[in-house]
Amino acid sequence: MKIKAKLKKDVVKVKAMAKHDMITYDQGKKKGVPANFITHWVAKVNGEIVYEVSTSQFLSKNPIIKFQYKGSQKGDKIEMTWTDLLGNTSSKKTKIK
Amino acid sequence: MQRRNFLGLGVAAMSAVLAPSALSAIDYRKTKPNTWTAHNVKDAMTALYGTTATTESGVKITIPKVAANGGAIPVNIQSDIDAKSVALFQDANPEAAVAVWTLNDKSIINFDVKIKMKASGSMTAVVEGKDGKLYSVTQSLEVALGGCEG
């Protein structure tokens, strides 16, 4: 996963890209592999949730998400975690620039 | 005047509730499983919010009119409504729900995602306001090359 976070005025802009095939049920059937896609994303700063989304199979392959939030300082660390249907998780931490 | 009182009460109640709820994660796939298996927008919305009555204002969705590649259609949702959650649906794929965002006191409703669509159709973004009302916007688009064939 790649993640970038930038503070501008009071607002932190975050961009993240997960490396994931996002196989839908239909695609899985065709290829004979189990469907697997990211189902839940959460971003935390100092243990507090700043972004959270539950997602379905219809995000693109290697999905890119962008969001904004307020209330963080420069240098705070933001940690993004995703969980997929098969229970795999991946997380990445980055400093807010 | 009544409306004003009501809003004031709502804000006070919310600030009391918000502090603990901001710490715990809500996975809508677990709490509202029927949302994700519903085959059309109405059923999905009912499963998620219990109603399909929405006010069509206050929400902005930005999508291309014609998507060349249905495998990665950029979607942007914006709103200034003081809200609890935001949901995105579409009506071209086998199931309707795409994503449900849980908001907290730091959130700004300005979300970008890239999604897959099998064919031309429309997308609906729903914002669940803290006043208990639903606000929505629906926009149609054409997909030149479907994105679910893989």
Side-chain angles (χ1 to χ4, degrees):
Chain A
M1 180 161 39
K2 285 179 188 167
I3 178 165
K4 272 184 190 170
K6 211 168 195 179
L7 183 77
K8 209 171 187 185
K9 285 175 187 165
D10 293 342
V11 176
V12 184
K13 287 187 181 177
V14 186
K15 192 175 175 184
M17 189 190 102
K19 238 182 146 46
H20 202 289
D21 282 341
M22 300 297 285
I23 301 165
T24 65
Y25 290 107
D26 283 6
Q27 286 170 339
K29 238 186 234 167
K30 258 184 205 168
K31 290 184 183 169
V33 292
N36 192 22
F37 47 88
I38 295 174
T39 57
H40 194 240
W41 308 63
V42 61
K44 286 183 184 179
V45 176
N46 299 326
E48 206 177 330
I49 294 170
V50 295
Y51 177 79
E52 191 185 359
V53 61
S54 308
T55 51
S56 78
Q57 49 183 327
F58 304 125
L59 292 195
S60 67
K61 188 181 174 186
N62 297 332
I64 295 171
I65 55 166
K66 283 188 262 182
F67 65 94
Q68 306 182 1
Y69 75 95
K70 47 196 177 200
S72 276
Q73 308 295 321
K74 236 179 203 178
D76 279 356
K77 279 180 184 159
I78 182 162
E79 186 176 22
M80 187 90 181
T81 308
W82 57 251
T83 309
D84 70 14
L85 197 67
L86 299 181
N88 305 314
T89 65
S90 170
S91 64
K92 181 103 188 241
K93 223 176 202 181
T94 190
K95 239 184 215 176
I96 295 165
K97 282 178 185 165
Chain B
M1 203 56 201
Q2 260 184 341
R3 179 179 149 83
R4 189 155 292 185
N5 284 338
F6 173 74
L7 282 176
L9 267 176
V11 168
M14 264 308 146
S15 51
V17 174
L18 254 182
S21 72
L23 295 170
S24 62
I26 306 165
D27 187 344
Y28 277 98
R29 294 194 73 91
K30 283 181 190 131
T31 55
K32 305 269 177 164
N34 293 337
T35 307
W36 308 93
T37 52
H39 296 291
N40 62 56
V41 177
K42 269 191 177 165
D43 287 354
M45 215 189 280
T46 311
L48 184 62
Y49 294 124
T51 174
T52 54
T54 63
T55 311
E56 292 209 4
S57 71
V59 191
K60 202 179 144 204
I61 187 166
T62 311
I63 52 177
K65 276 208 178 93
V66 179
N69 173 14
I73 305 168
V75 181
N76 175 266
I77 301 170
Q78 287 183 35
S79 176
D80 292 328
I81 297 165
D82 197 11
K84 282 192 274 189
S85 72
V86 178
L88 176 64
F89 306 104
Q90 48 66 45
D91 63 3
N93 294 341
E95 286 88 28
V98 177
V100 182
W101 288 267
T102 313
L103 305 184
N104 52 60
D105 52 349
K106 293 183 171 173
S107 297
I108 298 169
I109 304 177
N110 189 340
F111 300 129
D112 279 284
V113 287
K114 288 200 171 177
I115 79 166
K116 283 188 277 222
M117 259 172 103
K118 205 171 186 173
S120 303
S122 63
M123 291 193 204
T124 304
V126 180
V127 173
E128 183 194 18
K130 281 180 181 166
D131 54 6
K133 282 185 193 157
L134 298 178
Y135 300 89
S136 75
V137 63
T138 301
Q139 196 162 322
S140 60
L141 79 162
E142 279 181 36
V143 176
L145 183 67
C148 281
E149 278 79 25

